Each structure stands twice: as C-alpha cells, then as structure tokens.
Amino acid sequence: MSWHSDRFIVDITGIFGIDRINGFNILWSIFILAIYFSIVVIIGIKIVKNIEIFERD
C-alpha cells in the first residue's frame, strides 16, 4: 500500500519517509488483480472440466 500514489496514502506514508511510485494508484492495482484472478478462474474451470472425478466403467 505504501508505494501507491493516492493522496490519502501519501499523506500517511510521507510522515515515515516511504517513497511512492508516481501513477501507481489503488484502482490500477485492483484492475491488475482482477485480471490475474480472472485468469486463475478460467484456468481452474478448464482444469476441473477435464478432471474425471468418478471412475466410469
């Protein structure tokens, strides 16, 4: 959280001298996490569809 450049975070982390990354805000982080989560879910669905849970004779 301390690297984000959102105003309310910079006010708090500035006291401790923690640097920030310009243009790196919380909305961008949530967007990237949503993409990663979507990829994991899609791969998981494909894996589960290919697993044969019960043995069929």
Side-chain angles (χ1 to χ4, degrees):
M1 289 294 289
S2 61
W3 294 344
H4 291 90
S5 61
D6 294 318
R7 179 87 177 144
F8 64 92
I9 295 174
V10 171
D11 292 341
I12 296 170
T13 58
I15 297 170
F16 302 108
I18 299 172
D19 292 333
R20 66 176 183 210
I21 300 172
N22 289 331
F24 183 58
N25 58 21
I26 291 177
L27 289 177
W28 179 251
S29 293
I30 291 172
F31 176 71
I32 296 298
L33 284 173
I35 290 173
Y36 288 155
F37 183 72
S38 299
I39 291 170
V40 168
V41 167
I42 290 169
I43 291 171
I45 289 171
K46 287 184 177 188
I47 289 172
V48 169
K49 280 186 176 181
N50 292 332
I51 293 175
E52 194 168 324
I53 297 174
F54 299 106
E55 290 184 28
R56 296 181 187 167
D57 293 330

